Amino acid sequence: MRLDKFLKVSRLIKRRTLAKQVADQGRITINGKVAKASSDVKLGDELAIRFGQKIVTATVNELKDSTKKEDAASMYTILSEERLEKVEPEFVDDED
């Protein structure tokens, strides 16, 4: 499954276009490697997503083409949320 679609369906990022922008800025890694929006996501992959001043690390549990809001959280497990002290201006997120 494409990274941008997984992020939207799992609701880690609400809109697919926003997921694509975040990926294109190099703010997402899959298993430690910088990922593009078109990168393939597989079960067990570890995603690290940079949202402004925090980095969220999650593991992929399920891949579904669509899901209900209540079931979306079962698609991943949050491993950590790391807060950063200093943020470079290009990583400031206008939207949360």
Side-chain angles (χ1 to χ4, degrees):
M1 175 181 281
R2 284 177 55 108
L3 174 61
D4 56 349
K5 182 166 184 179
F6 174 79
L7 293 171
K8 181 210 178 279
V9 173
S10 67
R11 292 174 173 78
L12 278 167
I13 297 180
K14 288 185 175 66
R15 292 190 319 272
R16 191 166 176 177
T17 54
L18 184 59
K20 183 180 181 326
Q21 285 178 345
V22 172
D24 289 346
Q25 292 171 354
R27 293 166 49 188
I28 302 175
T29 61
I30 299 176
N31 299 324
K33 296 179 183 170
V34 176
K36 295 181 182 178
S38 61
S39 296
D40 202 31
V41 177
K42 297 179 280 308
L43 292 176
D45 280 351
E46 187 174 297
L47 306 176
I49 307 165
R50 185 167 180 167
F51 294 102
Q53 286 188 309
K54 72 178 177 182
I55 297 177
V56 175
T57 306
T59 303
V60 177
N61 295 337
E62 294 179 63
L63 298 175
K64 298 179 184 176
D65 286 328
S66 64
T67 186
K68 294 180 180 171
K69 190 175 182 179
E70 313 76 65
D71 301 332
S74 69
M75 293 180 67
Y76 60 89
T77 302
I78 299 287
L79 300 175
S80 68
E81 288 189 35
E82 180 184 342
R83 195 143 185 79
L84 303 172
E85 295 301 315
K86 186 178 178 188
V87 176
E88 294 100 52
E90 69 268 14
F91 290 119
V92 173
D93 200 3
D94 296 335
E95 185 173 280
D96 268 342

